[in-house]
Protein backbone atom coordinates (compact mmCIF):
# COMPACT_ATOMS: atom_id res chain seq x y z
CA UNK A 1 0.00 0.00 0.00
CA UNK A 2 1.21 3.52 -0.73
CA UNK A 3 2.22 5.83 2.09
CA UNK A 4 0.89 9.36 2.46
CA UNK A 5 2.10 12.21 4.66
CA UNK A 6 -0.30 14.81 6.09
CA UNK A 7 1.47 18.08 6.91
CA UNK A 8 -0.55 20.60 8.89
CA UNK A 9 -0.40 24.39 8.77
CA UNK A 10 -2.56 26.29 11.25
CA UNK A 11 -2.16 30.03 10.89
CA UNK A 12 1.66 30.33 10.95
CA UNK A 13 2.33 27.08 12.84
CA UNK A 14 3.60 24.22 10.63
CA UNK A 15 3.60 20.61 11.82
CA UNK A 16 5.23 18.14 9.42
CA UNK A 17 4.12 14.52 9.31
CA UNK A 18 7.31 12.52 9.82
CA UNK A 19 5.72 9.05 9.92
CA UNK A 20 3.00 9.05 7.29
CA UNK A 21 0.27 6.49 6.93
CA UNK A 22 -0.21 3.56 4.59
CA UNK A 23 -3.57 3.87 2.85
CA UNK A 24 -5.27 2.00 0.05
CA UNK A 25 -5.18 4.80 -2.53
CA UNK A 26 -5.34 8.53 -3.29
CA UNK A 27 -9.10 8.72 -2.67
CA UNK A 28 -8.68 7.25 0.80
CA UNK A 29 -5.86 9.73 1.51
CA UNK A 30 -8.10 12.65 0.49
CA UNK A 31 -10.90 11.35 2.70
CA UNK A 32 -8.48 11.12 5.62
CA UNK A 33 -7.28 14.69 4.96
CA UNK A 34 -10.87 16.01 4.90
CA UNK A 35 -11.67 14.21 8.15
CA UNK A 36 -8.52 15.54 9.80
CA UNK A 37 -9.18 19.08 8.61
CA UNK A 38 -12.66 18.93 10.14
CA UNK A 39 -11.23 17.77 13.47
CA UNK A 40 -8.61 20.53 13.42
CA UNK A 41 -11.24 23.20 12.79
CA UNK A 42 -13.42 21.80 15.59
CA UNK A 43 -10.47 21.80 18.02
CA UNK A 44 -9.51 25.36 17.14
CA UNK A 45 -13.11 26.56 17.53
CA UNK A 46 -13.28 24.83 20.92
CA UNK A 47 -10.26 26.92 21.93
CA UNK A 48 -12.37 30.02 21.25
CA UNK A 49 -10.41 31.16 18.21
CA UNK A 50 -12.43 33.52 16.04
CA UNK A 51 -10.44 33.20 12.81
CA UNK A 52 -8.75 30.00 11.70
CA UNK A 53 -6.64 29.37 8.61
CA UNK A 54 -5.86 25.67 8.31
CA UNK A 55 -4.20 23.73 5.50
CA UNK A 56 -3.41 20.06 5.14
CA UNK A 57 -0.80 19.26 2.52
CA UNK A 58 -0.75 15.63 1.39
CA UNK A 59 2.49 14.23 0.00
CA UNK A 60 2.95 10.77 -1.46
CA UNK A 61 5.78 8.43 -0.50
CA UNK A 62 8.01 10.05 -3.15
CA UNK A 63 7.57 13.49 -1.58
CA UNK A 64 5.27 14.72 -4.34
CA UNK A 65 2.45 17.00 -3.21
CA UNK A 66 -0.74 15.28 -4.34
CA UNK A 67 -3.37 17.39 -2.55
CA UNK A 68 -3.83 20.66 -0.68
CA UNK A 69 -6.91 21.14 1.46
CA UNK A 70 -7.51 24.62 2.87
CA UNK A 71 -10.16 25.96 5.22
CA UNK A 72 -10.76 29.45 6.55
CA UNK A 73 -13.26 29.85 9.34
CA UNK A 74 -14.43 33.12 10.83
CA UNK A 75 -16.73 33.40 13.80
CA UNK A 76 -18.71 36.60 14.02
CA UNK A 77 -20.58 36.81 17.31
CA UNK A 78 -23.65 38.96 17.38
CA UNK A 79 -26.57 39.36 19.67
CA UNK A 80 -29.47 37.13 18.73
CA UNK A 81 -32.45 38.98 17.26
CA UNK A 82 -34.61 36.69 19.37
CA UNK A 83 -33.00 37.66 22.69
CA UNK A 84 -35.19 39.68 25.04
Amino acid sequence: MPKYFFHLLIDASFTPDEQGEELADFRTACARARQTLGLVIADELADAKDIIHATIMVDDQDGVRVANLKAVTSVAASESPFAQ
Side-chain angles (χ1 to χ4, degrees), residues 10 13 29 31 64 83:
I10 302 174
S13 177
V64 175

Side-chain angles (χ1 to χ4, degrees), residues 9-50:
L9 178 65
I10 302 174
D11 297 322
S13 177
F14 180 71
T15 305
D17 179 359
E18 304 281 336
Q19 296 179 345
E21 185 174 352
E22 289 185 354
L23 297 168
D25 54 25
F26 173 73
R27 291 182 73 180
T28 305
C30 286
R32 172 84 65 203
R34 281 192 292 278
Q35 177 186 33
T36 302
L37 189 56
L39 293 171
V40 166
I41 293 295
D43 284 346
E44 294 294 309
L45 287 171
D47 286 342
K49 283 190 157 185
D50 290 333

